[in-house]
Amino acid sequence: MRNFFNSDSRLMKVLAKLFDIGYLSILFILFCIPIVTIGAALTALYYTTVKVIRHDRGYVFHEFWHAFKLNFFPATKLWIVQAVLFILIAFNISLVNENVTTTSSFMLGAYIVIGVIIYAVSCYAYPVLSRFNMKNMQILRMSLFMIAKHIIFTIPLVIISGAAVFLIVFLIPYLPVVPILVPGLASLAYSYPMEIVLKKYMVQAKKNDDEDGEAVDEWYLE
């Protein structure tokens, strides 16, 4: 019985992981409240999930805050562009629905396809930003390339993220506990296909040390 509750037991390790996932989820929800910070929060959520939850490097708050600060401006720009595009598409869809014709049906389909593409781009953009040092246009081009190149991974990424958004937005009034676990659990599930894609673009350093001769912890390649 003592071994059952030992800090090194499997049960306690699972409970510790669940605590970290819940803590990360709460941080994500809190940092999303200003709305404009959602992009930076998404970037920090993915970074922390992979580094802390999956690879046991560092601590949840420290790594989340580090990624949030580091990527705040580029992630915020990406999020604002994404939000504006979605608002425009939603507005155009509402106009099309007011006057249903053959042409409007075609336009409706076109707007939906464009919206799905924009959403798919965002599914890659924030994880790419968390891993690579790139300008926003490079991130967008790389994300568009990944959508087509890795379509077999794009589909589950869209499904996982879409399901998470649905659960958080629509089930909060009925199940308040949902936001405590969903972002972290969804990000964890999301990271498995995403890491397969990202590792295809990671170049492992020939030397395992930096310019100062210190060892480099390439946790993202494990």
Side-chain angles (χ1 to χ4, degrees), residues 4-218:
F4 195 65
F5 291 101
N6 188 285
S7 60
D8 292 326
S9 69
R10 181 172 297 180
L11 173 63
M12 297 307 294
K13 288 180 179 179
V14 171
L15 291 176
K17 284 292 181 185
L18 286 175
F19 176 83
D20 284 344
I21 289 171
Y23 184 27
L24 178 57
S25 296
I26 292 171
L27 282 176
F28 173 72
I29 294 294
L30 290 175
F31 278 74
C32 282
I33 290 176
I35 306 298
V36 73
T37 58
I38 290 178
L42 284 168
T43 306
L45 173 67
Y46 184 81
Y47 177 88
T48 308
T49 297
V50 179
K51 187 172 184 179
V52 180
I53 305 299
R54 286 190 57 177
H55 294 295
D56 295 314
R57 298 291 202 279
Y59 301 94
V60 171
F61 182 81
H62 179 270
E63 300 301 338
F64 187 93
W65 180 239
H66 167 75
F68 185 87
K69 290 189 300 179
L70 182 65
N71 301 295
F72 179 79
F73 290 108
T76 300
K77 291 176 184 177
L78 284 173
W79 165 247
I80 290 174
V81 171
Q82 177 190 349
V84 169
L85 289 175
F86 274 131
I87 291 171
L88 289 175
I89 289 173
F91 177 73
N92 287 332
I93 288 176
S94 67
L95 290 179
V96 168
N97 284 333
E98 291 179 0
N99 186 17
V100 180
T101 63
T102 303
T103 302
S104 65
S105 297
F106 173 79
M107 292 300 297
L108 178 62
Y111 285 133
I112 292 174
V113 170
I114 293 171
V116 170
I117 292 173
I118 293 172
Y119 184 79
V121 168
S122 68
C123 286
Y124 282 100
Y126 299 110
V128 168
L129 176 60
S130 76
R131 186 65 51 81
F132 300 99
N133 184 19
M134 291 180 171
K135 294 182 179 179
N136 281 355
M137 286 306 299
Q138 291 176 306
I139 290 173
L140 293 176
R141 284 196 295 267
M142 186 172 183
S143 299
L144 277 169
F145 173 77
M146 287 177 168
I147 289 172
K149 175 72 172 179
H150 307 288
I151 187 66
I152 192 173
F153 295 107
T154 300
I155 294 172
L157 290 174
V158 170
I159 292 173
I160 292 170
S161 59
V165 171
F166 177 84
L167 289 172
I168 293 171
V169 172
F170 293 102
L171 293 187
I172 284 179
Y174 309 101
L175 297 170
V177 74
V178 166
I180 296 178
L181 290 176
V182 169
L185 287 174
S187 182
L188 181 59
Y190 190 91
S191 71
Y192 285 95
M194 178 58 73
E195 283 302 296
I196 294 174
V197 175
L198 290 181
K199 285 181 180 179
K200 296 179 183 295
Y201 301 88
M202 302 298 299
V203 179
Q204 188 166 9
K206 293 182 180 179
K207 296 181 179 180
N208 291 323
D209 49 67
D210 58 17
E211 294 178 355
D212 298 323
E214 296 182 358
V216 176
D217 181 16
E218 295 177 327

